[in-house]
Amino acid sequence: RTRAGDPMDFFNAVGEYFESIGADIHASYDSMWRSRNRANSEDKRAKSASATGIVTERDAALRELPRYVYELGARARVLDAGANGIERIDDAIGTLSMLKTVRLDANALTALPRTFTNLVTIRTLVLRGNALKELPNDIGNLIALEELDVSDNALTSVPKSLGACLKLRRFNASANAMSTVEDFECLGTCVDLEEIVLSKNKDMEGCLPVSWGCLVKLKEIDVDGTNVEGVSKEIFIACDALQTLSMRQCPRIDKATLKATEGFDVYEAKRQNKHDKQLLSRVLMDESRLDERLPPNR
């Protein structure tokens, strides 16, 4: 125990002061070395990207793409800069004219630059988990696009030009702010489509478009957690490959009415055949993967 004015109080205070100074110096030193190591590592990645055409900047605490990325030009084939805090992409992205894969998921993008649709060789575009409010009106210029993931953004619609992406096979626009499924009528011209995911657009209303009846390769439609009201008979009748129609937590769907829709029995036979094959091949799945993914009877 120390008394008021005890010299031990003074020495304790001095000790605590030097401890705090030491901690600050250590933190500054550690930060300096992290920055230096990061810079050295970026140089190595730049050289690697120049040699291979593959840009790997995932989870690198970036606020913008490093300058070397734009300098790659036609040498760039893959750009992976997901899981950063990137808020803006420079117009110079348009010079990466031979890109095949672009992954910019989990960033803070609110828009794409006007030159983005110059990247006509892109096959895979992942923009999941940003803050995009719209897609470029001329996104249909991306004629090589096979996979487009714009889920978990703030989109209210998609451009009609998306229908010009004739090679599109997988499309995911779940967890946005879409208001009507009719905005996706343009997908009816994307004849290679196999999967459409529009789930978790909680305010999205309407019936699945008649135009989707042209999608003979379509295997799966997912509109879980929306206000979709029904399915056009053309989808049941003409979508020969359709095996999964997921409409769970869709309060406006009446199961009895849906089952009475012309062509539903054809779809049901295909779904049941898929179910039987899973059982015969002894595939172990949870019950939700083996049911018809429709809402309960009301």
Side-chain angles (χ1 to χ4, degrees):
R1 180 181 299 178
T2 58
R3 298 184 300 277
D6 195 308
M8 289 301 298
D9 290 339
F10 170 77
F11 288 115
N12 287 338
V14 170
E16 290 175 0
Y17 172 75
F18 279 106
E19 281 183 11
S20 66
I21 292 293
D24 290 342
I25 292 174
H26 183 271
S28 298
Y29 182 79
D30 188 48
S31 176
M32 179 188 71
W33 275 103
R34 281 202 307 270
S35 298
R36 181 174 176 177
N37 289 338
R38 174 70 192 161
N40 290 340
S41 180
E42 184 176 304
D43 289 341
K44 291 178 181 178
R45 288 197 301 279
K47 291 177 182 178
S48 175
S50 181
T52 65
I54 300 174
V55 176
T56 305
E57 289 288 348
R58 175 167 289 273
D59 195 16
L62 299 177
R63 290 294 176 266
E64 59 184 14
L65 288 177
R67 180 50 49 185
Y68 84 81
V69 174
Y70 300 115
E71 294 171 352
L72 289 171
R75 287 172 291 173
R77 295 292 187 275
V78 175
L79 170 58
D80 185 355
N84 284 291
I86 297 172
E87 299 176 352
R88 178 180 175 276
I89 302 293
D90 197 280
D91 280 343
I93 192 77
T95 64
L96 309 185
S97 58
M98 296 303 292
L99 275 174
K100 299 293 190 295
T101 299
V102 175
R103 298 185 181 278
L104 292 168
D105 51 293
N107 279 293
L109 296 172
T110 57
L112 297 176
R114 58 182 179 80
T115 59
F116 196 87
T117 51
N118 293 346
L119 306 177
V120 296
T121 59
I122 291 180
R123 295 176 184 171
T124 299
L125 176 56
V126 181
L127 297 167
R128 178 181 62 251
N130 279 279
L132 295 172
K133 297 180 180 178
E134 61 182 9
L135 297 175
N137 285 330
D138 57 352
I139 195 170
N141 289 350
L142 304 182
I143 55 175
L145 197 60
E146 297 178 7
E147 179 179 354
L148 176 59
D149 186 346
V150 291
S151 60
D152 194 17
N153 277 280
L155 301 173
T156 57
S157 64
V158 294
K160 288 182 172 59
S161 71
L162 184 61
C165 299
L166 302 183
K167 295 184 178 181
L168 192 63
R169 292 190 295 116
R170 291 184 295 275
F171 176 67
N172 189 337
S174 62
N176 276 280
M178 307 295 183
S179 59
T180 174
V181 73
E182 293 173 2
D183 283 341
F184 298 96
E185 186 174 2
C186 60
L187 295 178
T189 57
C190 302
V191 293
D192 282 343
L193 262 174
E194 298 176 6
E195 179 181 306
I196 298 175
V197 181
L198 300 176
S199 57
K200 299 180 183 178
N201 283 287
K202 59 186 179 64
D203 296 323
M204 187 175 71
E205 302 177 344
C207 290
L208 303 190
V210 172
S211 66
W212 290 10
C214 298
L215 304 178
V216 295
K217 297 181 182 180
L218 188 61
K219 297 177 181 179
E220 179 169 352
I221 299 173
D222 183 349
V223 290
D224 289 351
T226 67
N227 273 318
V228 165
E229 300 157 20
V231 181
S232 302
K233 66 180 182 180
E234 288 80 3
I235 293 175
F236 286 137
I237 294 170
C239 293
D240 293 334
L242 186 63
Q243 294 181 336
T244 301
L245 174 61
S246 194
M247 308 184 82
R248 291 171 292 199
Q249 298 180 336
C250 293
R252 296 193 180 183
I253 290 288
D254 181 81
K255 192 172 181 180
T257 301
L258 188 66
K259 287 188 171 186
T261 303
E262 183 182 352
F264 181 86
D265 55 339
V266 177
Y267 159 72
E268 173 62 11
K270 288 182 291 187
R271 188 203 64 80
Q272 187 61 47
N273 183 53
K274 176 186 176 184
H275 175 96
D276 292 343
K277 285 181 178 178
Q278 288 174 346
L279 294 179
L280 287 171
S281 61
R282 306 180 71 84
V283 176
L284 298 178
M285 294 183 178
D286 61 85
E287 185 180 349
S288 66
R289 291 292 302 278
L290 291 173
D291 66 17
E292 54 196 26
R293 299 210 238 179
L294 299 178
N297 287 315
R298 288 165 36 193

XYZ file of all heavy atoms in Angstrom, residues 37-72:
284
model
N 5.896 -4.525 -46.890
C 5.677 -5.879 -47.401
C 4.562 -5.901 -48.441
O 4.649 -6.620 -49.433
C 5.324 -6.830 -46.252
C 6.515 -7.113 -45.356
O 7.655 -6.952 -45.775
N 6.239 -7.527 -44.136
N 3.517 -5.080 -48.196
C 2.416 -5.004 -49.146
C 2.908 -4.463 -50.486
O 2.556 -4.964 -51.554
C 1.324 -4.111 -48.575
C 0.173 -3.826 -49.518
C -0.655 -5.043 -49.747
N -1.571 -4.820 -50.854
C -2.157 -5.772 -51.526
N -1.930 -7.028 -51.222
N -2.976 -5.493 -52.519
N 3.756 -3.419 -50.444
C 4.296 -2.834 -51.671
C 5.164 -3.840 -52.416
O 5.073 -3.979 -53.637
C 5.101 -1.577 -51.336
N 6.017 -4.545 -51.670
C 6.869 -5.550 -52.302
C 6.024 -6.656 -52.922
O 6.288 -7.134 -54.022
C 7.844 -6.141 -51.277
C 8.915 -5.145 -50.855
O 9.164 -4.177 -51.566
N 9.520 -5.373 -49.702
N 4.979 -7.074 -52.194
C 4.109 -8.122 -52.676
C 3.361 -7.677 -53.930
O 3.165 -8.453 -54.864
C 3.112 -8.518 -51.579
O 2.250 -9.522 -52.011
N 2.948 -6.408 -53.974
C 2.262 -5.885 -55.151
C 3.171 -5.913 -56.369
O 2.727 -6.244 -57.479
C 1.760 -4.461 -54.896
C 0.963 -3.896 -56.056
C 0.398 -2.529 -55.743
O -0.324 -2.418 -54.728
O 0.665 -1.590 -56.502
N 4.443 -5.587 -56.177
C 5.402 -5.658 -57.285
C 5.475 -7.077 -57.839
O 5.516 -7.284 -59.057
C 6.788 -5.202 -56.825
C 6.850 -3.704 -56.579
O 5.971 -2.991 -57.104
O 7.773 -3.260 -55.861
N 5.503 -8.043 -56.931
C 5.569 -9.443 -57.372
C 4.299 -9.837 -58.114
O 4.347 -10.532 -59.131
C 5.774 -10.355 -56.158
C 7.145 -10.212 -55.504
C 7.254 -11.120 -54.287
C 8.613 -10.958 -53.615
N 8.733 -11.798 -52.397
N 3.142 -9.377 -57.597
C 1.890 -9.719 -58.262
C 1.783 -9.060 -59.628
O 1.236 -9.638 -60.564
C 0.702 -9.339 -57.379
C 0.539 -10.238 -56.170
C -0.850 -10.104 -55.561
N -1.134 -8.741 -55.150
C -0.716 -8.201 -54.014
N 0.043 -8.901 -53.187
N -1.027 -6.965 -53.703
N 2.317 -7.850 -59.727
C 2.302 -7.151 -61.018
C 3.127 -7.915 -62.047
O 2.717 -8.069 -63.206
C 2.836 -5.734 -60.855
N 4.298 -8.404 -61.636
C 5.140 -9.180 -62.552
C 4.456 -10.491 -62.930
O 4.507 -10.910 -64.094
C 6.501 -9.448 -61.899
C 7.370 -8.202 -61.735
C 8.671 -8.534 -61.018
C 9.513 -7.266 -60.828
N 10.768 -7.536 -60.084
N 3.829 -11.122 -61.947
C 3.124 -12.368 -62.215
C 1.966 -12.140 -63.176
O 1.750 -12.918 -64.116
C 2.613 -12.974 -60.904
O 1.835 -14.121 -61.151
N 1.209 -11.058 -62.960
C 0.072 -10.746 -63.826
C 0.528 -10.455 -65.249
O -0.122 -10.860 -66.220
C -0.705 -9.558 -63.267
N 1.652 -9.780 -65.369
C 2.194 -9.479 -66.699
C 2.585 -10.749 -67.437
O 2.409 -10.857 -68.656
C 3.405 -8.552 -66.569
O 3.930 -8.229 -67.837
N 3.071 -11.732 -66.682
C 3.519 -12.991 -67.295
C 2.368 -13.941 -67.589
O 2.391 -14.663 -68.597
C 4.534 -13.676 -66.389
N 1.339 -13.940 -66.718
C 0.270 -14.941 -66.843
C -1.059 -14.388 -67.331
O -1.915 -15.153 -67.780
C 0.018 -15.619 -65.478
O -0.494 -14.633 -64.554
C 1.302 -16.225 -64.916
N -1.251 -13.084 -67.187
C -2.535 -12.479 -67.532
C -3.571 -12.610 -66.428
O -4.735 -12.271 -66.623
N -3.154 -13.091 -65.261
C -4.077 -13.314 -64.139
C -3.796 -12.302 -63.028
O -2.704 -12.290 -62.458
C -3.943 -14.742 -63.584
C -4.268 -15.762 -64.682
C -4.861 -14.938 -62.379
C -4.023 -17.194 -64.281
N -4.781 -11.464 -62.738
C -4.664 -10.468 -61.674
C -5.330 -11.014 -60.423
O -6.526 -11.337 -60.434
C -5.338 -9.139 -62.070
C -5.299 -8.154 -60.900
C -4.667 -8.542 -63.299
N -4.571 -11.141 -59.339
C -5.097 -11.643 -58.069
C -4.920 -10.576 -56.997
O -3.828 -10.390 -56.463
C -4.367 -12.936 -57.645
O -4.462 -13.893 -58.698
C -5.001 -13.520 -56.399
N -5.998 -9.874 -56.703
C -5.973 -8.824 -55.678
C -7.135 -9.007 -54.702
O -7.666 -8.055 -54.159
C -6.045 -7.443 -56.335
C -4.803 -7.029 -57.087
C -3.631 -6.689 -56.187
O -3.844 -6.555 -54.968
O -2.505 -6.539 -56.697
N -7.528 -10.243 -54.477
C -8.652 -10.534 -53.591
C -8.279 -10.305 -52.132
O -7.192 -10.668 -51.688
C -9.126 -11.981 -53.787
C -10.224 -12.423 -52.827
C -10.863 -13.729 -53.268
N -11.677 -13.523 -54.466
C -12.960 -13.150 -54.446
N -13.569 -12.962 -53.278
N -13.621 -12.964 -55.555
N -9.208 -9.665 -51.388
C -9.043 -9.455 -49.951
C -7.713 -8.781 -49.640
O -6.949 -9.231 -48.795
C -9.150 -10.796 -49.219
C -9.362 -10.615 -47.726
O -9.726 -9.500 -47.306
O -9.146 -11.571 -46.970
N -7.456 -7.683 -50.341
C -6.180 -6.972 -50.194
C -6.357 -5.573 -49.604
O -5.456 -4.743 -49.693
C -5.483 -6.870 -51.554
N -7.527 -5.309 -49.010
C -7.802 -4.018 -48.367
C -7.647 -2.849 -49.342
O -7.150 -1.787 -48.985
C -6.891 -3.822 -47.148
N -8.087 -3.040 -50.576
C -7.960 -2.012 -51.603
C -9.158 -1.067 -51.593
O -10.282 -1.473 -51.297
C -7.848 -2.647 -52.983
C -6.663 -3.573 -53.246
C -6.759 -4.156 -54.653
C -5.344 -2.827 -53.074
N -8.920 0.198 -51.956
C -9.989 1.155 -52.204
C -10.107 1.443 -53.696
O -11.097 2.002 -54.155
C -9.728 2.460 -51.427
C -9.884 2.305 -49.917
C -11.328 2.007 -49.546
N -11.512 1.751 -48.123
C -11.497 0.563 -47.574
N -11.311 -0.516 -48.338
N -11.670 0.395 -46.283
N -9.106 1.050 -54.448
C -9.124 1.174 -55.907
C -8.179 0.135 -56.487
O -7.338 -0.422 -55.767
C -8.692 2.571 -56.338
C -7.313 2.950 -55.865
C -6.940 4.379 -56.227
O -7.835 5.165 -56.604
O -5.737 4.697 -56.135
N -8.346 -0.162 -57.758
C -7.453 -1.125 -58.393
C -6.062 -0.524 -58.548
O -5.926 0.655 -58.877
C -7.990 -1.513 -59.778
C -9.227 -2.400 -59.808
C -9.663 -2.615 -61.263
C -8.958 -3.734 -59.137
N -5.023 -1.314 -58.317
C -3.655 -0.811 -58.524
C -3.446 -0.389 -59.977
O -4.040 -0.963 -60.897
C -2.782 -2.022 -58.172
C -3.644 -2.890 -57.319
C -5.041 -2.694 -57.808
N -2.590 0.593 -60.190
C -2.354 1.128 -61.524
C -1.850 0.060 -62.485
O -2.180 0.074 -63.675
C -1.349 2.292 -61.412
C -0.994 2.972 -62.733
C -2.188 3.367 -63.572
N -3.200 4.097 -62.817
C -4.369 4.458 -63.321
N -4.685 4.112 -64.566
N -5.226 5.107 -62.591
N -1.084 -0.901 -61.984
C -0.519 -1.904 -62.888
C -1.597 -2.689 -63.613
O -1.374 -3.192 -64.725
C 0.429 -2.844 -62.137
C -0.223 -3.997 -61.418
C -0.596 -5.158 -62.097
C -0.460 -3.950 -60.038
C -1.186 -6.226 -61.432
C -1.057 -5.011 -59.378
C -1.415 -6.139 -60.078
O -2.003 -7.191 -59.431
N -2.783 -2.820 -62.985
C -3.875 -3.586 -63.602
C -4.260 -2.960 -64.934
O -4.394 -3.657 -65.955
C -5.089 -3.650 -62.658
C -6.270 -4.326 -63.357
C -4.737 -4.392 -61.381
N -4.428 -1.643 -64.936
C -4.832 -0.955 -66.160
C -3.741 -0.990 -67.223
O -4.027 -0.901 -68.419
C -5.213 0.490 -65.838
C -6.347 0.611 -64.852
C -6.141 1.183 -63.600
C -7.625 0.159 -65.165
C -7.184 1.304 -62.693
C -8.667 0.274 -64.258
C -8.443 0.848 -63.028
O -9.480 0.959 -62.134
N -2.495 -1.101 -66.780
C -1.379 -1.101 -67.724
C -1.199 -2.432 -68.437
O -0.429 -2.531 -69.391
C -0.089 -0.720 -66.982
C -0.111 0.720 -66.462
C 1.063 1.036 -65.543
O 1.805 0.079 -65.205
O 1.223 2.205 -65.162
N -1.913 -3.463 -67.988
C -1.782 -4.775 -68.612
C -2.377 -4.813 -70.014
O -1.949 -5.599 -70.861
C -2.459 -5.845 -67.749
C -1.770 -6.188 -66.436
C -2.655 -7.094 -65.601
C -0.426 -6.865 -66.702
